[in-house]
Amino acid sequence: MRVVMFGFQTWGHRTLQALLDSEHDVAMVVTHPRGEGAYEKVWSDSVEELAREAGVPVMVRERPDDEELYEALKQVAPDVIVATNWRTWIPPRIFTLPAFGTLNVHDALLPAYAGFSPLIWALLNDEPEVGVTAHMMDDTLDAGPIVLQRAVPVGPEDTTTDLFHKTLELFGPITVDGLAEIASGRRDFVPQDRSKASFFHKRSEEDIRIDWTWTAEELSRLVRAQSAPYPQAFCFHKQQRLEIISARVSEAVYGGTPGRIFYREGDGVAVVAGAEARRGRSKALLITKVRTEDGTELAAHEYFTTMGGYLTSRPSPE
């Protein structure tokens, strides 16, 4: 089939490579300009560079709603559009232009986790598996009928970085296999159950700020979810920003006030966590490695040379 691809970052790069290696004719690529946001700098392999190296015409757009792009698409006359990690709304006159419509590939097990940063949100919410969905695009973002869906399990120590690599391997195959389903003439794709849908916003600085009233289990997942190269979870100690590079749930129960730097346990330092910690039935967040405001990385025992004092969500009043 004659394909136009809309894509961005490493997800789009991997999808485009699979299309170039397939029997399909990639007639044009549309991609976003390189972004300066923290999350746009992560997994930032260039779709534009790959397309140009392959001799495929490229148009760079923040939003695909101008007449020049529309006319170019009409001239190219694709059989199908493939969209992967496209960050802005695609208008109906674009996604319905090809005879076979538009196949969107999203890194979540839709209908749950539509929208942005699905792997991070899923890990935060302790989901047992994550995956990739290829679905037909319609008027509602990430809501069209499902063509194919593939899942991978979330391991007990997995970080978002681990899940990224696991799911990235699915993008090329599910795209090519999804196009085969469309080319076969099949149209009985599975409607999404909208009663099970969820839609998540982009991650920002506020989303990685540690709240010590969260349980140790929740905070441990936050640290794993914000694994390098993603921006890492942070708090404050003695007015200085402190990033938590690695942590886990303590073995022992530690009662008291959330945020209290309490006790050395094994290779870590236990910090009291959870809104119910005062009742003495909560585990602590066992911090094992930190990064200071000047970028220095230290083992917890090196950084916390004495016990006592508090980690806070915001700088404490002087």
Side-chain angles (χ1 to χ4, degrees):
M1 288 193 292
R2 191 167 171 81
V3 179
V4 167
M5 199 199 85
F6 283 63
F8 190 48
Q9 294 177 281
T10 300
W11 298 269
H13 186 280
R14 184 62 63 90
T15 303
L16 176 57
Q17 187 63 65
L19 290 171
L20 292 170
D21 293 340
S22 75
E23 63 185 12
H24 302 290
D25 172 25
V26 183
M28 190 171 83
V29 167
V30 186
T31 190
H32 294 303
R34 188 177 294 274
E36 292 304 314
Y39 288 87
E40 289 183 335
K41 292 178 180 178
V42 175
W43 318 125
S44 57
D45 294 295
S46 174
V47 170
E48 180 181 5
E49 290 176 9
L50 178 60
R52 295 196 190 285
E53 288 168 5
V56 178
V58 183
M59 298 188 77
V60 180
R61 293 289 189 277
E62 188 60 46
R63 301 182 63 86
D65 52 7
D66 61 277
E67 286 301 317
E68 182 186 12
L69 174 59
Y70 180 62
E71 291 301 323
L73 286 168
K74 287 201 299 183
Q75 186 171 357
V76 168
D79 297 312
V80 66
I81 290 173
V82 169
T84 305
N85 196 42
W86 185 260
R87 313 292 284 179
T88 56
W89 181 67
I90 298 177
R93 71 171 182 165
I94 298 289
F95 71 70
T96 62
L97 187 150
F100 293 109
T102 294
L103 181 74
N104 186 54
V105 184
H106 180 67
D107 52 341
L109 297 175
L110 296 173
Y113 298 97
F116 299 91
S117 303
L119 295 179
I120 294 178
W121 290 110
L123 183 51
L124 281 171
N125 291 327
D126 202 22
E127 298 291 354
E129 60 182 9
V130 295
V132 175
T133 302
H135 71 94
M136 301 309 299
M137 188 174 286
D138 65 11
D139 289 334
T140 303
L141 184 65
D142 295 333
I146 293 172
V147 178
L148 290 172
Q149 195 167 69
R150 289 169 184 163
V152 293
V154 177
E157 305 300 325
D158 275 346
T159 65
T160 299
T161 307
D162 297 323
L163 299 181
F164 163 79
H165 289 295
K166 288 182 181 181
T167 55
L168 183 65
E169 295 302 315
L170 304 175
F171 268 79
I174 203 172
T175 300
V176 174
D177 292 348
L179 290 178
E181 292 289 324
I182 294 168
S184 74
R186 191 184 150 207
R187 293 295 177 270
D188 59 336
F189 303 129
V190 181
Q192 293 189 38
D193 182 350
R194 302 309 297 159
S195 70
K196 297 179 180 177
S198 55
F199 182 72
F200 286 83
H201 61 73
K202 291 181 180 180
R203 303 284 295 175
S204 69
E205 181 90 344
E206 196 60 30
D207 299 306
I208 64 175
R209 185 189 304 276
I210 291 176
D211 179 346
W212 293 102
T213 65
W214 285 22
T215 66
E217 291 78 8
E218 291 169 326
L219 291 177
S220 174
R221 290 198 298 272
L222 175 62
V223 171
R224 287 193 288 127
Q226 295 296 152
S227 57
Y230 296 98
Q232 295 186 286
F234 72 96
C235 56
F236 288 87
H237 183 224
K238 298 179 179 178
Q239 310 297 318
Q240 300 295 308
R241 181 179 171 121
L242 186 69
E243 295 181 351
I244 309 303
I245 296 176
S246 61
R248 63 181 184 272
V249 178
S250 67
E251 293 291 332
V253 168
Y254 296 92
T257 301
R260 178 74 174 188
I261 303 161
F262 191 7
Y263 195 78
R264 292 185 180 88
E265 180 185 289
D267 62 347
V269 170
V271 177
V272 178
E276 296 294 305
R278 70 185 186 280
R279 301 184 185 279
R281 294 193 289 270
S282 302
K283 298 290 182 76
L285 182 69
L286 193 72
I287 297 174
T288 54
K289 192 172 185 179
V290 300
R291 181 184 295 113
T292 60
E293 204 164 69
D294 66 3
T296 303
E297 294 186 8
L298 295 166
H301 286 187
E302 294 180 75
Y303 178 79
F304 297 104
T305 55
T306 60
M307 298 297 99
Y310 291 85
L311 297 181
T312 57
S313 298
R314 300 178 188 277
S316 301
E318 293 288 357

